[in-house]
Amino acid sequence: MHRPTLEDVARAAGVSRATVSRVVRGDVGTATRTIERVERAVRELGYVPNSAARVLASGRPNTIAIVVPEPDERIFSDPFFGLATSGVSERISGTDMQLVMAFAPTSGRPTATIQFLLAGGVAGVIVMSHHRSDGLTRAALELPLPTVFLGAPLLNGDSEPARAHVVDTDNEHGGRIAGDRLAEVGVRNPATITGPMDMHAAVARLDGWREAMGQAGLSFSTFEGDFTEESGRLGVATLLDRDPGIDGIFAASDLMAVGAFKELERRGITPGREVRLIGFDDFAAADALGLTTVRNPAVDLGRQAVAMLTELITTGEAEESRVLPVELVVRETA
Amino acid sequence: MHRPTLEDVARAAGVSRATVSRVVRGDVGTATRTIERVERAVRELGYVPNSAARVLASGRPNTIAIVVPEPDERIFSDPFFGLATSGVSERISGTDMQLVMAFAPTSGRPTATIQFLLAGGVAGVIVMSHHRSDGLTRAALELPLPTVFLGAPLLNGDSEPARAHVVDTDNEHGGRIAGDRLAEVGVRNPATITGPMDMHAAVARLDGWREAMGQAGLSFSTFEGDFTEESGRLGVATLLDRDPGIDGIFAASDLMAVGAFKELERRGITPGREVRLIGFDDFAAADALGLTTVRNPAVDLGRQAVAMLTELITTGEAEESRVLPVELVVRETA
């Protein structure tokens, strides 16, 4: 089939090549009626602009894919996800690469996702927000494509992360400094609300916390949350019903800390006075509530993932793991 | 080049075909050491699982692409976006289609995005959150692919939406019932904080509101926001500084209404008493604040967009436009 050209569109629309070119580029200042005529001709002929056609013909993969689990309320309501993605986008924007996000099923083998990634257009992959239980982690580890994990990948049955190219937060140190701080401000009966234990970030934060508690000679109670606000609320309710004497809580994400904060207030307890509270992330909500928290460099994780991936794509190798530092942000609650 | 087979992997790993198959499927219950051996062989040989290879060979496009502007804080912090996407995902999940989100530049011609969409794997496109000013709208209208707009597309210089397949909220009626309600509860000196005037949703909500005001014989003042919380705050500050007698505000999105709510409280004004307030969307925040609002069926918009797109892909045609009804949700603020 003859591929329609700019000339074909100009002829069909009864305008000059320059006019077609202007309309196709999206330049302002062309009369609406002319734009409409050109657009109709473009549609009817199925014209593909030349610049796109040229790159198409070259066949070089130009897509960077962020792979995430299927969206539910959690993935878009957790600011971490948006911040890390904007860090990736910032570094890809303005290059000739196209950023896409591919949604993988939360259970079973992600056949359609793998098919998409291997179809030829994808130059590199960033895997985000993966859980041990999803088939995605294993599938992503097998990919014959440059792949970077944002957060260390756990496989079923393993407690240590699988070997992979990883950009991660120093989660263990984060848990450690949260525990140190609570001990330092005089907490004697602490508790922690952890993230889901099938995510390495949750395991590592708990490891660091446990170490701090051991050093301070404190025992603690635990509630396993899932990084959502609701699980933070439920965590406080469960922990305080079990032991009303709890005087300090480390919630391993800010969303959970917000839920914990609200549930404490609902019970007439002032966070920071009767019960000290520390979160993890340092989202806008933490500042608004006066929440002491551990700063998680989410945007920078996204940027660093692009840097590592670019290195993998261009040279075929990169350091195995890059760990970004955290710091304690002290506000009113601890 | 010889494409590595399951047998090649089994031989290299020194295990049976059945074991390789189990590991590749992600089944549990295989010893960790065995899994590692198989995975090493898979990586070293660049083995692609058969199911994926089969579909790859068939070459049938299996990707549905949601096209959105590049992510900044706005796109992920606006719940509308996440809700509409989860509606799309819900309908695609469990089929053999792959859902991806492609990020387009917010200005200039989206060449890399078009290249991605036309590279052959994409069966259909859903365009979300488009503005008149971005090159994306024009480019998406030209696509020789089944395309559905979530929200009517505006082109530069036009006040009427371009012809396209569209799923939309009845924005005009929403503005209308918000205006009717404020008039009904006795507001005499109303104002509106609109969305950005380069989005059709904002224009239509203002049209409906203007009609209600005309019918009630009320004049009103206007502030153009951009659907963010900060612009709602700024809107109230600007409007009340100009005219402290304002007694009713329609903020054309819940995020703006939240900003308006906070700025009213900061000025010692109780929303719903001295100043009535109505939002648009009915997100969780509206319920939490007792905000009267217009319910925007975001999840259902996503579902309906998939239904229309599926019709376009399978039959080549579909109704041009589907408009979903809105309703007023009365709470404390009006």
Side-chain angles (χ1 to χ4, degrees):
Chain A
M1 199 185 87
H2 167 67
R3 183 175 201 115
T5 62
L6 198 71
E7 286 74 16
D8 297 333
V9 176
R11 206 172 307 120
V15 300
S16 70
R17 288 182 79 255
T19 302
V20 174
S21 178
R22 257 202 322 279
V23 171
V24 165
R25 276 200 313 272
D27 286 359
V28 293
T30 311
T32 307
R33 274 203 54 220
T34 309
I35 294 179
E36 278 171 7
R37 256 158 59 197
V38 173
E39 285 178 341
R40 196 175 319 118
V42 163
R43 263 198 305 277
E44 283 169 8
L45 295 173
Y47 169 71
V48 179
N50 233 343
S51 53
R54 242 194 328 268
V55 199
L56 275 177
S58 84
R60 196 169 61 80
N62 85 321
T63 299
I64 300 294
I66 298 178
V67 179
V68 295
E70 266 165 17
D72 51 17
E73 276 160 50
R74 178 150 114 214
I75 196 155
F76 288 113
S77 65
D78 191 330
F80 176 82
F81 175 78
L83 292 167
T85 301
S86 71
V88 172
S89 166
E90 178 198 301
R91 289 301 153 102
I92 289 180
S93 167
T95 70
D96 59 352
M97 303 300 277
Q98 171 63 35
L99 179 62
V100 307
M101 185 172 281
F103 300 103
T106 45
S107 64
R109 183 151 185 96
T111 308
T113 310
I114 294 172
Q115 178 194 355
F116 167 76
L117 296 173
L118 296 182
V122 175
V125 178
I126 296 172
V127 185
M128 255 189 218
S129 205
H130 41 80
H131 290 248
R132 173 153 49 186
S133 50
D134 52 36
L136 174 60
T137 303
R138 184 175 305 278
L141 284 164
E142 289 170 9
L143 280 176
L145 277 177
T147 303
V148 171
F149 285 79
L150 211 149
L154 279 182
L155 286 174
N156 264 327
D158 292 1
S159 55
E160 285 299 306
R163 289 195 57 182
H165 292 282
V166 176
V167 175
D168 210 347
T169 298
D170 194 344
N171 290 300
E172 188 165 338
H173 187 65
R176 170 80 206 223
I177 59 181
D180 288 349
R181 176 70 186 173
L182 285 182
E184 187 186 312
V185 297
V187 165
R188 305 310 304 155
N189 191 9
T192 182
I193 303 171
T194 73
M197 283 298 133
D198 63 357
M199 292 188 79
H200 181 255
V203 174
R205 287 170 201 181
L206 179 61
D207 285 348
W209 159 267
R210 192 185 291 113
E211 202 184 297
M213 292 297 103
Q215 183 149 337
L218 295 170
S219 65
F220 61 94
S221 37
T222 302
F223 176 89
E224 183 178 342
D226 63 2
F227 283 148
T228 62
E229 181 176 329
E230 171 56 19
S231 74
R233 197 201 57 69
L234 190 64
V236 162
T238 308
L239 290 166
L240 289 191
D241 285 349
R242 230 150 56 188
D243 177 3
I246 285 171
D247 60 354
I249 296 173
F250 167 45
S253 82
D254 276 0
L255 277 188
M256 296 199 297
V258 167
F261 191 103
K262 288 182 182 168
E263 177 63 18
L264 287 171
E265 282 198 322
R266 208 188 59 77
R267 292 173 173 241
I269 299 168
T270 308
R273 212 171 310 160
E274 298 96 318
V275 176
R276 314 296 180 110
L277 179 62
I278 296 187
F280 197 111
D281 281 323
D282 198 30
F283 296 149
D287 192 32
L289 290 177
L291 182 72
T292 294
T293 192
V294 179
R295 183 173 296 150
N296 191 3
V299 178
D300 210 37
L301 282 170
R303 291 187 190 119
Q304 298 288 333
V306 174
M308 189 182 276
L309 189 61
T310 307
E311 219 180 310
L312 276 173
I313 292 171
T314 51
T315 73
E317 44 192 60
E319 60 192 310
E320 184 135 311
S321 152
R322 197 170 295 174
V323 177
L324 305 191
V326 294
E327 56 173 336
L328 190 73
V329 182
V330 175
R331 296 198 184 89
E332 287 98 79
T333 62
Chain B
M1 198 187 87
H2 166 69
R3 184 176 199 113
T5 62
L6 198 72
E7 285 75 15
D8 296 333
V9 176
R11 204 172 309 120
V15 300
S16 70
R17 287 182 82 254
T19 301
V20 174
S21 177
R22 256 201 322 278
V23 171
V24 166
R25 276 200 315 270
D27 287 358
V28 294
T30 311
T32 307
R33 276 202 54 220
T34 309
I35 294 178
E36 278 170 9
R37 257 158 61 197
V38 172
E39 285 177 343
R40 198 178 317 117
V42 162
R43 265 198 305 276
E44 284 169 8
L45 296 173
Y47 169 70
V48 180
N50 233 342
S51 54
R54 241 195 329 266
V55 200
L56 275 176
S58 84
R60 196 169 61 80
N62 85 321
T63 300
I64 300 295
I66 298 178
V67 179
V68 295
E70 265 164 17
D72 52 16
E73 275 160 52
R74 178 150 115 214
I75 195 154
F76 288 113
S77 64
D78 191 330
F80 176 83
F81 174 78
L83 292 168
T85 302
S86 70
V88 172
S89 165
E90 177 198 303
R91 288 302 152 101
I92 289 180
S93 165
T95 70
D96 59 353
M97 302 301 276
Q98 171 63 35
L99 179 62
V100 307
M101 186 173 281
F103 300 104
T106 45
S107 63
R109 183 152 184 97
T111 308
T113 310
I114 294 172
Q115 179 195 352
F116 167 75
L117 296 174
L118 297 182
V122 175
V125 178
I126 296 172
V127 185
M128 253 190 221
S129 206
H130 41 82
H131 290 248
R132 175 153 46 186
S133 50
D134 52 36
L136 174 59
T137 303
R138 186 175 303 277
L141 284 166
E142 289 171 8
L143 281 176
L145 275 177
T147 302
V148 171
F149 285 78
L150 212 149
L154 279 183
L155 286 174
N156 265 327
D158 293 0
S159 55
E160 285 299 306
R163 288 195 58 182
H165 291 282
V166 176
V167 175
D168 209 347
T169 298
D170 194 343
N171 291 299
E172 189 166 337
H173 187 64
R176 169 81 206 222
I177 58 181
D180 287 347
R181 176 70 186 174
L182 286 182
E184 188 186 311
V185 297
V187 165
R188 306 309 305 156
N189 192 9
T192 182
I193 303 171
T194 73
M197 283 297 133
D198 63 356
M199 291 186 80
H200 181 255
V203 174
R205 288 171 200 180
L206 179 61
D207 284 347
W209 159 267
R210 192 184 292 112
E211 203 184 296
M213 292 296 103
Q215 183 148 336
L218 295 170
S219 66
F220 61 94
S221 37
T222 302
F223 177 88
E224 183 178 341
D226 63 2
F227 283 148
T228 62
E229 180 174 331
E230 171 57 18
S231 73
R233 198 200 57 68
L234 190 64
V236 163
T238 309
L239 290 166
L240 289 190
D241 285 350
R242 230 151 54 189
D243 177 2
I246 284 171
D247 60 354
I249 296 173
F250 167 45
S253 81
D254 275 1
L255 278 187
M256 295 198 298
V258 167
F261 191 103
K262 289 181 182 167
E263 179 62 18
L264 287 171
E265 281 198 322
R266 206 187 61 75
R267 292 171 173 243
I269 298 169
T270 310
R273 213 171 309 160
E274 299 96 318
V275 177
R276 314 295 180 112
L277 179 62
I278 297 187
F280 197 112
D281 280 325
D282 197 29
F283 295 151
D287 192 32
L289 290 178
L291 182 72
T292 295
T293 192
V294 178
R295 183 173 297 150
N296 191 2
V299 177
D300 210 36
L301 282 170
R303 291 187 191 121
Q304 298 289 332
V306 174
M308 188 182 276
L309 189 59
T310 307
E311 219 180 310
L312 275 174
I313 293 171
T314 51
T315 72
E317 44 192 61
E319 59 193 309
E320 183 135 310
S321 153
R322 195 171 295 175
V323 177
L324 306 190
V326 295
E327 54 172 337
L328 191 72
V329 183
V330 175
R331 297 198 183 91
E332 287 98 77
T333 62

